[in-house]
Amino acid sequence: EFNSSAAVTTTSRSNKSLWPSVLRWIPSSTDHIINAEKRLLSIVKTPYTQEHVNIGTGPPGSKVRWFRSASNEPRYINTVTFESNKEAPTLVMVHGYAAAQGFFFRNFDALAKHFRVIAIDQLGWGGSSRPDFTCKSTEETEAWFIDSLEEWRKAKNLDKFILLGHSFGGYIAAKYALKHPERPWGPNLVRKYTSARFGEGDMLSEEESKLLTDYIYHTLAAKASGELCLKYIFSFGAFARSPLLQRASEWKVPTTFIYGFQDWMNYQGAVDARKNMSVPCEIIRVPKAGHFVFLDNANGFHSAVLHACRRFLSSDPNSYALSEAFLSLDRI
């Protein structure tokens, strides 16, 4: 859904269409996406570099490429890196379903003051490669995202890092942590779930709305690839086919769950998971925010992330304490 202040209105003769008539025929491509990304990130004050990180044709030793693709060409992950704090812990940000790293544009400046921030477009989305999606099972679909993330990590020569995923990105981040617990730097796997709308708290400015709408359009209008994973990851009602709750006892990475107060996903799922987890787990609810907490209440989201990562940012255990406005369930 697009913010009404940014969408082009249709005439009465075309009001049956869900898409504004002007937008339906605009072509898109990787170049269009990257250009839209640059326009959106022009709002960000912190300098950054953008690169296409080569992840090869598929996981080493695998008989399937990304994934059963007919092409032998190397694939790449679109990556933006904010080097303002090179000595700080590395924070890798992973977007949600049918999204891209630019959705975090309201967060980069604030987080780059405390972290070396790296944001990626998952394989098949945003400005990354969009191979033909031919996965045949939940296991293959998860491997598409998990293994491509691991090959990206190797190519970037990263060792330990904090993994922050929103929505479907949180699901993939969690699955990655289960497979590669030696790489995510606990206690801060920050995760949420999937939805399709913004605007529970701080509304986007007219400029932000216009640029984000342009960016969203090009990421969605490009060749379908990663989006086709849906039927193998979720069953009817957006319930995971391979729920993380069932593997809570296997969790090896300390974790923080962040929800908006008005989030349509029930935080009780995290409460239930924590009962079977043997690693530290915190649950934080951010006020004045819905599912897209990082857009709805950017400052509240930043406070929650800094609180979750406080062990790596300060030797003072009381640093980055949450205000009373937050409902922190880690004390229950």
Side-chain angles (χ1 to χ4, degrees):
E1 296 182 13
F2 291 97
N3 187 294
S4 59
S5 67
V8 179
T9 56
T10 59
T11 64
S12 59
R13 288 181 296 178
S14 61
N15 59 10
K16 293 182 180 180
S17 172
L18 294 177
W19 283 91
S21 59
V22 174
L23 293 183
R24 286 202 304 276
W25 59 266
I26 296 176
S28 192
S29 65
T30 299
D31 288 342
H32 281 91
I33 293 170
I34 297 301
N35 288 333
E37 173 186 290
K38 289 178 179 178
R39 290 191 293 270
L40 178 62
L41 296 187
S42 68
I43 297 174
V44 180
K45 302 296 190 296
T46 309
Y48 72 93
T49 57
Q50 180 268 333
E51 61 181 327
H52 282 159
V53 177
N54 190 324
I55 60 171
T57 59
S62 174
K63 296 180 180 179
V64 289
R65 301 180 179 92
W66 308 113
F67 228 106
R68 290 201 182 92
S69 174
S71 171
N72 289 321
E73 66 180 292
R75 305 299 180 171
Y76 56 83
I77 296 292
N78 185 42
T79 305
V80 294
T81 303
F82 298 85
E83 297 279 10
S84 62
N85 204 339
K86 295 182 180 180
E87 303 304 317
T90 298
L91 178 70
V92 175
M93 304 180 72
V94 183
H95 63 81
Y97 180 82
Q101 54 81 14
F103 278 52
F104 294 117
F105 75 97
R106 273 188 159 182
N107 315 121
F108 291 139
D109 281 334
L111 295 179
K113 294 177 182 177
H114 304 273
F115 304 96
R116 178 192 180 214
V117 175
I118 305 177
I120 66 168
D121 291 336
Q122 296 196 69
L123 182 65
W125 278 320
S128 292
S129 293
R130 292 175 178 246
D132 295 336
F133 188 87
T134 55
C135 295
K136 303 298 183 182
S137 67
T138 298
E139 291 73 24
E140 280 191 0
T141 302
E142 290 182 352
W144 161 291
F145 296 105
I146 296 169
D147 292 347
S148 60
L149 178 58
E150 173 62 4
E151 292 308 301
W152 171 86
R153 181 202 65 79
K154 293 177 183 177
K156 288 291 289 180
N157 196 29
L158 294 177
D159 185 15
K160 301 291 187 179
F161 54 94
I162 299 166
L163 194 54
L164 185 155
H166 170 256
S167 196
F168 174 73
Y171 175 89
I172 294 302
K175 292 287 185 172
Y176 177 89
L178 284 167
K179 188 171 182 178
H180 301 284
E182 73 282 3
R183 301 298 178 191
W185 214 356
N188 308 301
L189 181 71
V190 184
R191 54 178 299 274
K192 288 170 67 6
Y193 296 88
T194 188
S195 184
R197 184 164 62 197
F198 315 108
E200 294 289 347
D202 297 335
M203 297 300 293
L204 300 178
S205 69
E206 183 176 354
E207 180 185 17
E208 289 174 331
S209 183
K210 178 181 179 181
L211 293 173
L212 182 58
T213 297
D214 176 54
Y215 180 65
I216 291 173
Y217 171 77
H218 286 293
T219 61
L220 294 180
K223 172 190 172 182
S225 179
E227 294 90 341
L228 302 178
C229 74
L230 196 63
K231 67 179 180 179
Y232 293 117
I233 297 297
F234 297 112
S235 58
F236 181 76
F239 292 102
R241 294 184 182 275
S242 177
L244 294 169
L245 180 61
Q246 295 179 359
R247 300 188 63 182
S249 62
E250 303 173 39
W251 218 276
K252 296 180 176 64
V253 180
T255 303
T256 298
F257 296 88
I258 299 177
Y259 293 83
F261 261 57
Q262 288 77 43
D263 203 319
W264 68 272
M265 288 300 283
N266 191 343
Y267 65 86
Q268 188 61 44
V271 175
D272 292 340
R274 186 175 59 178
K275 295 175 182 177
N276 296 315
M277 292 173 66
S278 59
V279 293
C281 174
E282 292 184 317
I283 305 169
I284 300 172
R285 296 178 69 197
V286 178
K288 299 180 180 180
H291 182 68
F292 284 85
V293 59
F294 56 90
L295 285 173
D296 295 337
N297 185 349
N299 290 332
F301 173 72
H302 303 153
S303 295
V305 172
L306 294 177
H307 177 78
C309 300
R310 61 194 180 278
R311 282 179 52 195
F312 300 104
L313 299 174
S314 174
S315 58
D316 182 359
N318 296 317
S319 295
Y320 307 105
L322 294 174
S323 70
E324 292 300 320
F326 289 76
L327 178 60
S328 179
L329 301 178
D330 60 299
R331 300 181 183 89
I332 295 179

